[in-house]
Amino acid sequence: MAPPKEKHDHKTLKFPPSFLWGAATSAYQVEGNNVNADWWDWEQKNQPPSLRSGIACDQYNKYEQDFALIKQLNHNAHRLSIEWSRIEPREGEFNNSEIEHYLKVLKSLKELKIKVMLTLWHFTLPKWVSNIGGWENRKTINFFERFVKRVTREIAPYVDFWITINEPGVYIYQTYIRKEWPGSKGSSLGQIKTALNLASAHKKVYRYLHQTYPDKPIGMAQNVQSFQTYHKHSLVEQISVVFADFVANHLFYFLTRGTHDFLGINYYFHVRFQNSQRILPEIEDASQGYRDISDLGWEIYPEGLFDVLTDLSDGIPIYITECGIASTNDDRRNRFLITYLHEVYRAIKSGVDVRGFFYWSLVDNFEWSKGFQPRFGLVEVDYATLERRIRPSALVYTDIIAHNGIPHSLLRFIGHTVQAAEVLEKRLKEELRKKRHRPNHK
Ligand code: IFM
């Protein structure tokens, strides 16, 4: 595929040639009317109408329009998923017209010369699978494998990279620990079974795809997080960092070792452990005053991306399969893109083999139990009319793509970030000073 036309500028921080630049979505979050999925029923029972997915962005019908935007914005790659519950709405009954639909979707990306990264499972299950216990039931592994075999037979010619499973850790956390998502039976054993079955499903499907389509790299999209202690010399906080890093960032890779052609990394979270009066340390709430945060209260911490990339790098290529910010008025997205990509650049310069970046998300979409309020899109969706409007930050990303790197003209934003960081640092110091003077501060 011809790379986007590059602009020459000696001061540009250049990325490797043939770097993939794109955005990501998932079927349930953008398509609309996925009535055969477990989420659909759960929403009708548990969520007020404003938090139900409904027609979502209607991308099921508007995919050509959205893909034209991808082209217009100069992306050379796109990550998307297919919806199992559409393709196999009842056990063993495959809906050919839905397979046809996805063939059209994928073909239209290929006609635009866009590299396709396809996710085979992104959080939603057909109702009939959820009725037998979902991923807690070992049978789901074989059902998933059968689905993958059936559908990839047809769509494989239009796919360049496979992602087997999206964010197994987040799925378990939201379903079993937070209990904010459908599927929880509330048992810790269920949690463990789910983790092991997801790992087995990845391995099974990896082996099948690897053998059948040897030229198409396969990975898993993992939510990885950067961790930090709040007080450098707190042993409890140090232990928490090591433990959390293993569970969140390494456990799934460990369970599925040997079955990754690349590491797919979704990066959103920087976590600071803060020793408290309790036995276990607390996680600092970044929205309490003096951190730079997104609309969801998630800390904006670009350096964490450098840390996880250098930590996970072990010779396997890495694709950043998701990284994005919820910002309704788009005010922080420019700086987000530049500073996070600057960290990717630094990681590459340090020897990490990063080969692509997929911003989350192309368009605003259904953010699961939080509904449509969080706005992650490079493109705004007006949910009343379903009209799409390109946000200014999308053009900053386009500029970066056109330079295949960060041009000098954009680097000045990083200067602003340094200033902003200094302001935050002063506020933090002040906060710590106040804390030290609190009578019961340890
Ligand atoms: O919207 C989600 C996506 O489904 C998985 N990764 C994180 C995104 C933002 O929360």
Side-chain angles (χ1 to χ4, degrees), residues 52-111:
R52 295 181 192 157
S53 57
I55 197 166
C57 313
D58 194 24
Q59 201 188 71
Y60 187 82
N61 296 306
K62 294 187 185 302
Y63 66 91
E64 282 178 314
Q65 187 184 331
D66 287 347
F67 296 169
L69 288 171
I70 290 176
K71 199 66 196 167
Q72 189 183 333
L73 292 172
N74 218 358
H75 299 189
N76 59 14
H78 187 57
R79 176 178 170 224
L80 74 169
S81 75
I82 48 174
E83 178 60 36
W84 184 4
S85 66
R86 275 189 191 277
I87 296 170
E88 194 182 356
R90 277 162 297 280
E91 188 190 332
E93 272 180 38
F94 289 88
N95 185 329
N96 288 327
S97 67
E98 293 293 3
I99 297 179
E100 271 301 312
H101 168 79
Y102 284 116
L103 275 171
K104 280 196 237 148
V105 169
L106 296 171
K107 277 182 192 168
S108 68
L109 281 169
K110 286 283 110 194
E111 274 157 25

Side-chain angles (χ1 to χ4, degrees), residues 29 122-123 166-167 268 298 322 360 367-368 376:
Q29 292 177 270
H122 194 121
F123 296 155
N166 183 70
E167 295 182 351
Y268 293 92
W298 301 353
E322 283 182 34
W360 182 273
E367 179 58 18
W368 306 112
F376 278 93

Side-chain angles (χ1 to χ4, degrees), residues 174-203:
Q174 293 287 7
T175 308
Y176 290 92
I177 298 169
R178 306 276 314 219
K179 298 187 174 34
E180 286 181 6
W181 286 9
S184 172
K185 309 276 177 300
S187 81
S188 355
L189 187 63
Q191 232 175 98
I192 296 168
K193 281 188 194 161
T194 298
L196 297 176
N197 291 343
L198 280 165
S200 300
H202 164 83
K203 287 192 282 187

Side-chain angles (χ1 to χ4, degrees), residues 58 82 125 141 189 263 333 335 384 393 399 409:
D58 194 24
I82 48 174
L125 287 168
I141 303 170
L189 187 63
L263 302 183
R333 195 171 283 103
R335 192 152 55 78
S393 57
D399 196 20
S409 56

Side-chain angles (χ1 to χ4, degrees), residues 35-254:
V35 298
N36 294 313
D38 56 346
W39 265 84
W40 187 269
D41 274 4
W42 179 85
E43 286 163 30
Q44 316 312 310
K45 283 186 208 129
N46 299 285
Q47 297 288 75
S50 61
L51 291 181
R52 295 181 192 157
S53 57
I55 197 166
C57 313
D58 194 24
Q59 201 188 71
Y60 187 82
N61 296 306
K62 294 187 185 302
Y63 66 91
E64 282 178 314
Q65 187 184 331
D66 287 347
F67 296 169
L69 288 171
I70 290 176
K71 199 66 196 167
Q72 189 183 333
L73 292 172
N74 218 358
H75 299 189
N76 59 14
H78 187 57
R79 176 178 170 224
L80 74 169
S81 75
I82 48 174
E83 178 60 36
W84 184 4
S85 66
R86 275 189 191 277
I87 296 170
E88 194 182 356
R90 277 162 297 280
E91 188 190 332
E93 272 180 38
F94 289 88
N95 185 329
N96 288 327
S97 67
E98 293 293 3
I99 297 179
E100 271 301 312
H101 168 79
Y102 284 116
L103 275 171
K104 280 196 237 148
V105 169
L106 296 171
K107 277 182 192 168
S108 68
L109 281 169
K110 286 283 110 194
E111 274 157 25
L112 295 170
K113 305 208 179 327
I114 301 287
K115 290 265 186 211
V116 172
M117 184 175 274
L118 190 88
T119 312
L120 295 162
W121 185 75
H122 194 121
F123 296 155
T124 53
L125 287 168
K127 282 180 208 167
W128 61 269
V129 177
S130 135
N131 290 342
I132 59 155
W135 286 112
E136 281 186 29
N137 190 332
R138 276 199 70 74
K139 284 187 186 158
T140 301
I141 303 170
N142 290 340
F143 287 138
F144 181 59
E145 190 194 21
R146 181 180 65 183
F147 156 71
V148 169
K149 283 184 174 168
R150 172 71 181 84
V151 76
T152 55
R153 202 166 76 203
E154 318 221 15
I155 62 178
Y158 311 100
V159 173
D160 300 286
F161 300 85
W162 306 107
I163 297 278
T164 55
I165 280 167
N166 183 70
E167 295 182 351
V170 170
Y171 178 72
I172 291 168
Y173 179 71
Q174 293 287 7
T175 308
Y176 290 92
I177 298 169
R178 306 276 314 219
K179 298 187 174 34
E180 286 181 6
W181 286 9
S184 172
K185 309 276 177 300
S187 81
S188 355
L189 187 63
Q191 232 175 98
I192 296 168
K193 281 188 194 161
T194 298
L196 297 176
N197 291 343
L198 280 165
S200 300
H202 164 83
K203 287 192 282 187
K204 249 193 164 176
V205 163
Y206 174 90
R207 287 193 191 107
Y208 170 75
L209 293 174
H210 192 67
Q211 206 173 19
T212 320
Y213 312 105
D215 56 335
K216 294 177 197 283
I218 308 148
M220 171 196 270
Q222 265 259 77
N223 182 291
V224 298
Q225 309 178 18
S226 47
F227 294 98
Q228 192 178 337
T229 57
Y230 193 80
H231 306 96
K232 280 279 168 249
H233 305 297
S234 159
L235 182 62
V236 176
E237 290 177 17
Q238 295 283 3
I239 293 171
S240 308
V241 165
V242 172
F243 179 73
D245 178 48
F246 178 72
V247 174
N249 298 342
H250 297 278
L251 181 61
F252 263 95
Y253 287 135
F254 173 73

